[in-house]
Amino acid sequence: MPVLKRSRQSLYEDEEDSEEEELGVGRAHSELRQDNSKKPRLSTGLEEISDMDSSEGSTDEENEELQASQYAEKRRRKTRQDNQPADNGIIESVTCTNFMCHGYLEVALGPLINFVIGHNGSGKSAVLTAITICLGGKASSTNRAGNLKAFIKEGQEQCVLSIKLKNAGEAGYSQDVYGNSIIVERHFNRAGTSGFKLKSALGKIISTRKADLEDISDYFALQIDNPMTILTQDMARQFLNNSTPQEKYKFFIKGVQLEQLAQDYQLLEELIDKTETTFPEKEDTINILDDIATKAKAIFAMSEKHENIRKRVRQLSLQMAWAQVEEQEECLTLHDKEVDKAKEMIANIEGKVTLLSDSFEQANSALEAAQVHVEDAKTELNPIISEKETQKESFDSSKAEAKAVQTEQRRIKEMLRETERRIAKFKDDITEEYRKLEEANGGSHARRLAELDERKAEVEVVKRRLEEHNRVLQSLEEDKIRAVQGLECLKAPRREKNQEIQQCNEDLQALMKDRGHQLGGYPYGMLNLIKAVRQDNGFQQPPVGPIGEYVRLLKPAWSNILEKSFGGVLNSFIVTSKQDQSKLSSMMQKFNCSCPIVIGNNSSLDFSRNEPERNLDTAFRILAIENPMVLRQLVINQAIEQTILIENNEEARELMLRTVLPNVKQCYSFKGRGGVRLTYANKGGLNSTFVDPFSGVPRMKTDVEIQISLRQDTLKRLQGDLTELDRRYREAQNAVEESNKAITRHHRYSKELQGDIRRAESEADDLQDAIDLGAGQEGKLEALKKGLEETTEEQTMLEGSYEESVLAKDRFMAQMKERQERMTITDARLAEIELKLKKAEKKCARLVEQRHAALQDKNSAIEALRVATEDLTELQDGRTEKVEAVTAFIEGASKVGPRVSIPPGVTGKAIETKLGKVIDDLNAYEKRFGGSTRKIAEDLAKATKEHLDALASLKEEQRLAQLLKLSLHNRRKRWERFQKLITTRARNAFVLMLSHRGHRGKLAIDHKTRLLELIVQPDETQTSKGRQTKTLSGGEKSFSTICLLLALWEAMGAPVRCLDEFDVFMDSVNRDISMGLLIAAARGAMGRQFIFITPQGMNNADRKTDIKIIKLQDPERNQRTLDFHRE
């Protein structure tokens, strides 16, 4: 049953439409089921015959022939124009995959007339079946199968059908979405699933809803379910050959959509009748509601008499409501005081947190600075430790060599003592032997012996002189050693002085080169880092740094000492948060410029009470610091306000030893190119530390020209010192040369003395030989002399070795002494730096404890702040509840009435007591009338409203029913007019079609009995009244039915019309005539698309451009040909 969808307004508008407007059959189907936004699709030309007499009771054949001839003349004038294809709504192609007997079939259709031909079984009818199924038709309507699974080709699991609809022209359907074509695709499988796909001309899927396909079909008026639109093979056979008058009328009434309109009108009539049956019952209900409203008015009038009591109740209720408001407001005021106290406490705690946070930041910054100092001390300590180890290795080597020489010297001494003992024994033996010989030889022998003794005495004298001379050699050697040591001692200062001059030259060149550039003293990449930091807007607060860029030195003479003292602090940056510190550290890694990062804050720092006397220069007083955060860091980490500066070292020592200066932690003074740092010792006295000169380009801002002048003065002073050292070095070299000359002269004189000894010994030997010869050359004496001579030579060799060992020992001892002195100096430096490191580590440990304590205090304060904040939040939540309560009480009281003042001393309980008594009195009165005045008034208003609403609703329904009746009457009159016009057109078209073969006849259409009969006279004579179709031959019967079909198509508005196997029972003559008739009728239907299925050939057809013949090949059916053999 169709559903009524039209609005009430559209029904009213229908009454205003003129019955004289032009009508189109394409809109003959129910307008109750169409969207008003859709435009009329087709115009069928009913206006051409609208002025004819279409009375159904007219049976005058001459009148009908006159109408037919007039209609035929108009048709001939109209069809003289070329038939133009429609811009949209027609089928461009049909594609089947695994459908019926086709594995794959694609049929491209022409826009006007199409003939699909082929042998029986070639699958021609499958094209029309595919059109029906793909465009949303039911499987049962094809008379081919009961469900979709039966259409799937045998052996396949799924089937896909696709139809391409033309969608060009201005009247296309959603052209911006689909384009010039709409592709409708339907797929189903043996599992029973089925679905649709609507695609654009480019193949893009637009929708998968069947409702969208139905909208497209309605838009183009395709009428797929209309049996006259697609006449299948069975339907065509039934219509052309076996249909009864009742079935022909059913085809006619369904084909022109008049039946659907009749059903819709019947539904509307039933709805109106059903509505009118409810009117008497609603009138009775209105009477009852009127009685109820009358009684309510009477009760309300009686309740108005007790208004004074009610006024008193209202007054007390108003006082009661606002008294409760005042009580709640008083509670809110007390709660607000508690909130204010909590806020004040939070403000105090926040101030404490800020102070403790500053203390923690200061402790943290001080710790980081101390850690930097520890690292600097360790860095300074490592090369000195390496240097000491090297010096110790050299000292140990010299000591080992000296010990070896000393051991050798002891061995030589032992050998010398042994040699002297042996020489004394030989001499005693020789003397004894000479005594014996003297006794034997008399006085000559004694004389020779006396001469021999004189020569020996002379030898001894020369030997003593040689020994005395040799003793002088040791003094000369010592002088030489001292001269060499003096020379060696001057080498290191000369080398260091040269290095200082070279470094000073480099610094001077760097200063002259970097005039106007203040970043030469910073690590590589500092310029790029500073640019990146200034361009980056991602910091919570822009970093400050490097610190040296914000410090100006007012007295450049102190540049070396302060640059060395500040060290890496001048390279550091200051940020205000951990996040900025991490971000800046990442940027430093990116530019390969590693510098310290300190977390500070912008709070001011007052240290005026911690400064020393105003007559003393401090590091702070000779520095101009541009940024408060930089000043804060230098005060905290470097104590610049308590570092005094005195140029003269002696004056500095004297001043600090005289008394403990207040607010002074350290003092710097000049010494040489570097300086001295003086601090107070724990047990009194002073600690002194040498400050090496700073090597590098100054980082603190100052007058570059002054710096250059100072470096030039320093260079001149260093060059003067080097000149003095060179003079002393030359004097030392001269002393060494003089020592060498003295030693050479000593050796020369020693050789002369040794020559005298050898001559005297030679003479003594000659005398001894004479004595020996005179004594008969006793063999024993000769042997003794020979032994004495060998032993004496051995003694001489040992004495030479001993002298060499003494010299070697002295040389190694001098080396040891020199290296010991160097080690002593290194030990002093090492002890100084170790003490500095120990102090720095001790300070670092102390600062770690301070930082830990500051962190604990800060965390405690933060925890206290959190607890106080939670308490405040709880109080604020409670206040919110109280405010809401006050607001609710005020709203409630405002509903009762405007605010009134409460008398002093009157409480809400007292008012409540009075109100209860008055209410009891009022309730006693109201009990008589069944409720309060308010309730009675509400009941009265409700009853009156229900009565008026029911009365207005009944009147509106009655008016609507009358309007619907009038609209239904007008629509049925139009339906009857449609029926007459369509019937007349079908009759005239039928007569016209019969005339193509010279036949006469008419359509006998009886709408009351729902019969449609064909009356045909085969010849042109008018003597016969015509015959029924049963009396016609087969060809005449088929031709007459074709004429009927074409006549019914003339009354339809569908753009696509299909007919399957219309000529299967015609002979060749009737087929040719029918074929020509079909083609002529198709050409006369402007813009319509026709698809004809026929198993016959088209050799005799009038082939023009508007006709397309499609021949199908026999599909593969896996059949075999029987093999018949003739004998």
Side-chain angles (χ1 to χ4, degrees):
M1 180 67 69
V3 181
L4 293 173
K5 294 184 180 178
R6 294 194 59 178
S7 64
R8 183 178 299 174
Q9 182 180 358
S10 64
L11 293 173
Y12 299 158
E13 291 173 351
D14 288 339
E15 301 305 318
E16 301 172 1
D17 293 339
S18 172
E19 292 186 6
E20 300 300 326
E21 65 181 345
E22 294 182 359
L23 302 174
V25 177
R27 298 179 63 194
H29 57 289
S30 174
E31 293 186 5
L32 293 175
R33 300 175 61 189
Q34 285 189 348
D35 187 356
N36 291 333
S37 63
K38 295 180 181 178
K39 65 179 184 62
R41 247 312 276 165
L42 300 169
S43 176
T44 59
L46 285 179
E47 64 276 6
E48 299 174 358
I49 58 173
S50 60
D51 55 348
M52 300 180 182
D53 183 12
S54 56
S55 176
E56 194 173 349
S58 176
T59 58
D60 187 14
E61 293 182 0
E62 293 181 355
N63 188 30
E64 289 183 359
E65 289 181 0
L66 177 61
Q67 292 177 358
S69 62
Q70 292 174 353
Y71 176 67
E73 182 61 26
K74 289 183 179 182
R75 290 284 295 171
R76 279 193 296 272
R77 290 198 302 268
K78 186 175 181 180
T79 54
R80 287 173 186 171
Q81 302 176 357
D82 292 336
N83 190 6
Q84 298 296 326
D87 291 334
N88 45 59
I90 59 176
I91 300 173
E92 293 182 329
S93 64
V94 180
T95 304
C96 307
T97 304
N98 299 329
F99 183 70
M100 297 180 72
C101 62
H102 298 288
Y104 179 81
L105 174 65
E106 182 176 1
V107 179
L109 299 175
L112 294 172
I113 305 171
N114 298 272
F115 285 93
V116 181
I117 64 175
H119 297 147
N120 289 332
S122 61
K124 303 181 298 298
S125 300
V127 176
L128 298 187
T129 305
I131 293 173
T132 302
I133 298 299
C134 189
L135 292 180
K138 298 179 181 178
S140 58
S141 64
T142 63
N143 294 327
R144 290 295 184 121
N147 52 54
L148 295 176
K149 292 187 288 184
F151 290 115
I152 301 175
K153 184 180 180 181
E154 184 178 357
Q156 302 297 326
E157 292 298 324
Q158 65 177 0
C159 172
V160 179
L161 301 176
S162 177
I163 289 179
K164 187 175 182 182
L165 297 175
K166 191 174 182 181
N167 192 42
E170 296 180 356
Y173 181 84
S174 299
Q175 275 194 321
D176 56 336
V177 178
Y178 290 96
N180 291 330
S181 298
I182 299 176
I183 300 175
V184 182
E185 183 179 294
R186 186 171 188 180
H187 53 86
F188 47 89
N189 55 30
R190 294 192 182 276
T193 59
S194 173
F196 293 89
K197 291 181 182 179
L198 299 179
K199 299 181 180 180
S200 66
L202 300 177
K204 179 182 178 182
I205 297 177
I206 305 301
S207 175
T208 56
R209 298 171 61 248
K210 186 178 180 181
D212 293 335
L213 175 61
E214 292 175 351
D215 290 342
I216 294 173
S217 298
D218 290 344
Y219 184 84
F220 291 132
L222 295 177
Q223 303 180 22
I224 297 300
D225 291 331
N226 190 337
M228 299 300 294
T229 299
I230 300 178
L231 274 172
T232 62
Q233 186 173 344
D234 295 335
M235 295 292 291
R237 184 182 301 111
Q238 181 181 357
F239 179 79
L240 296 175
N241 301 304
N242 303 322
S243 59
T244 63
Q246 291 85 352
E247 291 172 346
K248 285 184 175 66
Y249 183 84
K250 187 183 295 184
F251 273 111
F252 167 75
I253 203 70
K254 283 185 178 181
V256 297
Q257 298 286 291
L258 289 174
E259 183 179 28
Q260 184 64 48
L261 281 173
Q263 292 175 357
D264 290 343
Y265 295 155
Q266 182 64 34
L267 177 65
L268 181 59
E269 186 176 12
E270 292 175 358
L271 178 63
I272 294 172
D273 293 340
K274 184 177 179 181
T275 302
E276 288 182 339
T277 57
T278 63
F279 289 165
E281 183 179 352
K282 289 183 178 181
E283 289 175 351
D284 295 339
T285 303
I286 289 172
N287 294 330
I288 295 172
L289 291 175
D290 186 23
D291 294 340
I292 294 173
T294 302
K295 292 179 180 179
K297 287 179 182 179
I299 295 173
F300 180 74
M302 295 176 66
S303 67
E304 285 291 323
K305 297 178 180 180
H306 302 287
E307 185 61 26
N308 291 332
I309 299 177
R310 293 191 185 90
K311 287 182 179 179
R312 180 62 178 163
V313 169
R314 286 195 295 271
Q315 183 180 4
L316 291 175
S317 298
L318 190 60
Q319 289 181 349
M320 179 65 187
W322 288 107
Q324 293 175 348
V325 170
E326 288 186 356
E327 291 175 357
Q328 293 297 322
E329 287 176 344
E330 185 177 356
C331 292
L332 179 61
T333 302
L334 295 176
H335 196 84
D336 285 341
K337 291 181 179 178
E338 294 181 3
V339 171
D340 293 338
K341 289 181 181 179
K343 289 182 178 179
E344 184 178 356
M345 181 182 296
I346 288 176
N348 294 331
I349 296 176
E350 286 177 345
K352 186 178 179 182
V353 168
T354 302
L355 293 176
L356 292 175
S357 298
D358 292 343
S359 300
F360 171 73
E361 293 298 334
Q362 292 175 5
N364 190 52
S365 300
L367 176 60
E368 291 178 353
Q371 289 172 344
V372 171
H373 289 162
V374 170
E375 293 298 325
D376 291 344
K378 288 182 179 179
T379 304
E380 190 176 356
L381 183 64
N382 290 332
I384 297 177
I385 293 175
S386 301
E387 182 181 355
K388 181 183 176 182
E389 291 175 353
T390 304
Q391 290 176 350
K392 190 174 184 306
E393 290 177 359
S394 301
F395 177 78
D396 291 341
S397 176
S398 299
K399 185 176 180 181
E401 292 176 352
K403 284 184 178 180
V405 170
Q406 187 176 8
T407 303
E408 181 66 18
Q409 193 176 20
R410 289 174 183 170
R411 187 181 65 79
I412 294 173
K413 279 185 178 181
E414 289 295 328
M415 294 177 67
L416 280 173
R417 282 195 291 270
E418 178 63 24
T419 304
E420 289 175 353
R421 186 184 60 76
R422 287 167 56 198
I423 289 173
K425 187 174 183 308
F426 275 119
K427 287 181 179 180
D428 291 341
D429 291 342
I430 290 172
T431 303
E432 181 63 25
E433 192 65 30
Y434 275 122
R435 187 185 61 77
K436 290 180 180 178
L437 289 175
E438 185 65 29
E439 290 176 355
N441 294 328
S444 62
H445 183 70
R447 207 172 36 252
R448 288 193 184 103
L449 287 176
E451 291 178 2
L452 180 60
D453 289 336
E454 289 176 2
R455 295 291 180 272
K456 287 183 178 180
E458 185 180 354
V459 169
E460 289 299 327
V461 170
V462 176
K463 282 186 177 180
R464 282 195 297 274
R465 289 170 61 188
L466 180 60
E467 288 177 359
E468 291 175 359
H469 187 67
N470 286 336
R471 281 194 293 273
V472 175
L473 179 61
Q474 183 175 359
S475 177
L476 293 175
E477 292 287 348
E478 290 176 357
D479 291 341
K480 179 182 177 180
I481 290 172
R482 282 194 294 273
V484 170
Q485 289 177 347
L487 184 63
E488 291 295 328
C489 289
L490 289 173
K491 286 182 179 179
R494 284 181 75 250
R495 184 170 58 253
E496 292 174 358
K497 193 63 66 176
N498 279 315
Q499 291 175 351
E500 289 181 10
I501 291 174
Q502 182 180 359
Q503 183 64 45
C504 190
N505 271 319
E506 291 177 358
D507 295 346
L508 182 60
Q509 294 298 325
L511 282 173
M512 296 177 70
K513 180 180 178 181
D514 292 336
R515 284 177 176 171
H517 304 282
Q518 291 292 329
L519 299 178
Y522 295 100
Y524 177 78
M526 179 63 74
L527 180 60
N528 294 330
L529 175 62
I530 292 175
K531 289 181 180 179
V533 168
R534 290 175 180 172
Q535 292 174 359
D536 196 318
N537 296 324
F539 292 99
Q540 295 180 358
Q541 185 170 342
V544 176
I547 286 179
E549 280 290 286
Y550 296 87
V551 179
R552 177 173 293 279
L553 183 60
L554 303 179
K555 292 187 177 182
W558 292 99
S559 176
N560 268 348
I561 292 178
L562 293 182
E563 289 278 355
K564 187 68 176 180
S565 173
F566 291 159
V569 174
L570 295 178
N571 296 342
S572 61
F573 284 73
I574 305 173
V575 296
T576 58
S577 65
K578 194 71 177 176
Q579 180 180 355
D580 286 353
Q581 184 185 33
S582 301
K583 182 177 180 65
L584 182 58
S585 178
S586 301
M587 295 178 70
M588 287 182 178
Q589 293 178 2
K590 177 181 178 182
F591 293 103
N592 195 21
C593 180
S594 179
C595 298
I597 303 175
V598 181
I599 298 178
N601 55 56
N602 292 319
S603 61
S604 60
L605 184 65
D606 184 11
F607 53 85
S608 57
R609 291 178 295 177
N610 299 327
E611 291 189 79
E613 298 175 0
R614 298 298 300 174
N615 61 336
L616 296 175
D617 277 346
T618 63
F620 168 69
R621 290 168 184 168
I622 70 166
L623 297 177
I625 301 174
E626 304 173 4
N627 190 284
M629 286 200 293
V630 173
L631 175 60
R632 184 184 183 90
Q633 293 303 319
L634 291 179
V635 169
I636 293 173
N637 298 326
Q638 300 296 323
I640 59 173
E641 84 285 7
Q642 296 180 348
T643 300
I644 62 173
L645 306 174
I646 301 174
E647 294 184 2
N648 189 282
N649 186 31
E650 297 301 328
E651 292 180 4
R653 286 179 177 274
E654 182 181 354
L655 180 62
M656 294 192 70
L657 286 172
R658 186 186 309 159
T659 180
V660 177
L661 299 176
N663 297 328
V664 174
K665 285 188 176 180
Q666 57 187 355
C667 173
Y668 285 104
S669 61
F670 293 135
K671 186 175 182 181
R673 186 165 174 257
V676 176
R677 176 175 178 264
L678 300 175
T679 57
Y680 290 109
N682 294 331
K683 297 181 180 180
L686 295 177
N687 292 327
S688 177
T689 306
F690 181 76
V691 180
D692 293 328
F694 177 71
S695 59
V697 178
R699 294 161 293 178
M700 292 185 290
K701 292 182 178 180
T702 183
D703 190 343
V704 178
E705 297 301 329
I706 295 177
Q707 286 282 353
I708 292 174
S709 178
L710 289 173
R711 292 301 170 94
Q712 288 174 344
D713 294 341
T714 303
L715 181 61
K716 289 179 181 179
R717 180 175 55 79
L718 291 175
Q719 288 173 345
D721 294 342
L722 181 61
T723 302
E724 177 63 23
L725 286 175
D726 288 342
R727 184 188 62 77
R728 292 169 57 192
Y729 187 76
R730 286 192 298 272
E731 290 177 354
Q733 283 180 331
N734 293 334
V736 172
E737 291 177 0
E738 290 296 328
S739 297
N740 288 330
K741 289 178 181 179
I743 292 173
T744 302
R745 288 194 299 271
H746 181 278
H747 287 317
R748 190 182 301 118
Y749 185 63
S750 295
K751 289 180 180 179
E752 290 176 0
L753 292 176
Q754 288 174 358
D756 293 342
I757 291 172
R758 282 193 298 272
R759 285 192 298 271
E761 286 179 347
S762 178
E763 293 176 355
D765 289 340
D766 291 343
L767 289 173
Q768 186 66 47
D769 290 340
I771 293 171
D772 292 340
L773 181 62
Q777 297 183 355
E778 294 293 336
K780 183 178 179 181
L781 183 61
E782 184 65 27
L784 289 172
K785 288 181 178 181
K786 188 175 181 181
L788 177 61
E789 182 181 358
E790 291 176 355
T791 304
T792 302
E793 289 178 357
E794 183 180 353
Q795 183 184 22
T796 302
M797 290 177 61
L798 289 173
E799 286 176 350
S801 296
Y802 184 75
E803 290 177 359
E804 291 177 357
S805 67
V806 169
L807 293 175
K809 180 181 178 182
D810 292 339
R811 186 171 61 255
F812 287 131
M813 291 302 290
Q815 267 186 358
M816 287 175 59
K817 185 177 180 181
E818 178 190 355
R819 291 174 179 175
Q820 181 68 40
E821 290 176 354
R822 293 182 182 177
M823 286 177 61
T824 303
I825 296 172
T826 303
D827 287 337
R829 292 174 59 197
L830 184 61
E832 180 184 353
I833 297 175
E834 285 179 343
L835 179 61
K836 180 180 177 182
L837 176 61
K838 186 176 180 181
K839 289 181 179 179
E841 289 177 341
K842 186 176 180 181
K843 181 180 179 182
C844 191
R846 177 172 53 81
L847 290 174
V848 167
E849 294 178 358
Q850 291 178 359
R851 180 186 180 277
H852 181 67
L855 181 61
Q856 286 184 335
D857 294 340
K858 176 183 175 182
N859 290 338
S860 299
I862 291 174
E863 178 62 21
L865 179 62
R866 184 188 64 79
V867 173
T869 304
E870 289 179 355
D871 294 342
L872 176 61
T873 303
E874 185 176 351
L875 287 173
Q876 288 176 338
D877 293 341
R879 184 185 184 282
T880 303
E881 294 176 358
K882 290 186 178 299
V883 169
E884 291 175 354
V886 170
T887 304
F889 273 91
I890 291 175
E891 289 178 355
S894 299
K895 292 178 181 178
V896 177
R899 184 158 191 161
V900 296
S901 60
I902 308 299
V906 178
T907 63
K909 279 192 173 182
I911 297 174
E912 186 178 5
T913 303
K914 292 180 182 179
L915 180 62
K917 292 180 180 180
V918 176
I919 289 175
D920 290 340
D921 294 339
L922 182 62
N923 289 337
Y925 287 112
E926 289 179 347
K927 190 173 182 182
R928 300 177 187 177
F929 302 106
S932 64
T933 302
R934 184 175 183 178
K935 183 177 183 304
I936 293 171
E938 290 176 353
D939 293 343
L940 174 59
K942 181 180 178 181
T944 303
K945 184 176 183 302
E946 288 178 352
H947 173 256
L948 295 177
D949 290 346
L951 184 61
S953 175
L954 177 61
K955 290 181 179 179
E956 179 65 20
E957 289 181 5
Q958 289 174 344
R959 188 176 70 86
L960 178 61
Q962 291 299 321
L963 291 175
L964 288 174
K965 283 182 179 180
L966 180 60
S967 175
L968 180 61
H969 174 72
N970 292 334
R971 286 181 174 272
R972 277 184 167 164
K973 286 177 65 178
R974 289 188 185 183
W975 184 87
E976 291 173 358
R977 187 162 178 252
F978 263 116
Q979 186 184 62
K980 291 177 180 179
L981 292 175
I982 293 172
T983 302
T984 302
R985 180 169 185 175
R987 284 171 174 166
N988 294 338
F990 180 71
V991 173
L992 176 63
M993 300 303 173
L994 289 177
S995 66
H996 282 77
R997 196 177 176 186
H999 291 359
R1000 297 172 57 254
K1002 66 177 180 179
L1003 285 179
I1005 302 175
D1006 189 346
H1007 295 292
K1008 294 182 179 180
T1009 58
R1010 301 178 67 83
L1011 297 176
L1012 188 152
E1013 291 189 68
L1014 303 182
I1015 300 174
V1016 179
Q1017 182 64 35
D1019 52 21
E1020 295 183 358
T1021 60
Q1022 300 183 5
T1023 57
S1024 176
K1025 294 183 180 181
R1027 294 182 293 170
Q1028 300 290 333
T1029 55
K1030 295 180 181 180
T1031 62
L1032 299 176
S1033 65
E1036 292 173 345
K1037 182 179 181 181
S1038 296
F1039 175 76
S1040 300
T1041 311
I1042 288 294
C1043 292
L1044 173 62
L1045 175 62
L1046 293 176
L1048 296 182
W1049 273 356
E1050 282 292 321
M1052 288 174 54
V1056 179
R1057 300 161 185 188
C1058 305
L1059 179 60
D1060 190 4
E1061 295 195 2
F1062 61 90
D1063 54 353
V1064 67
F1065 295 109
M1066 294 184 184
D1067 55 22
S1068 59
V1069 176
N1070 284 315
R1071 181 179 181 278
D1072 292 341
I1073 295 173
S1074 298
M1075 186 72 70
L1077 184 61
L1078 286 173
I1079 293 173
R1083 287 173 176 165
M1086 300 295 289
R1088 304 298 193 276
Q1089 184 183 36
F1090 292 85
I1091 303 173
F1092 300 110
I1093 307 295
T1094 175
Q1096 307 296 330
M1098 296 296 295
N1099 296 328
N1100 298 327
D1102 182 11
R1103 299 189 180 184
K1104 291 185 179 180
T1105 56
D1106 58 347
I1107 298 176
K1108 184 173 183 178
I1109 299 175
I1110 304 165
K1111 184 175 183 180
L1112 298 185
Q1113 301 297 327
D1114 295 341
E1116 295 291 336
R1117 299 179 182 270
N1118 297 325
Q1119 296 177 345
R1120 296 180 179 178
T1121 304
L1122 296 176
D1123 188 11
F1124 294 100
H1125 298 281
R1126 294 182 180 180
E1127 296 182 357

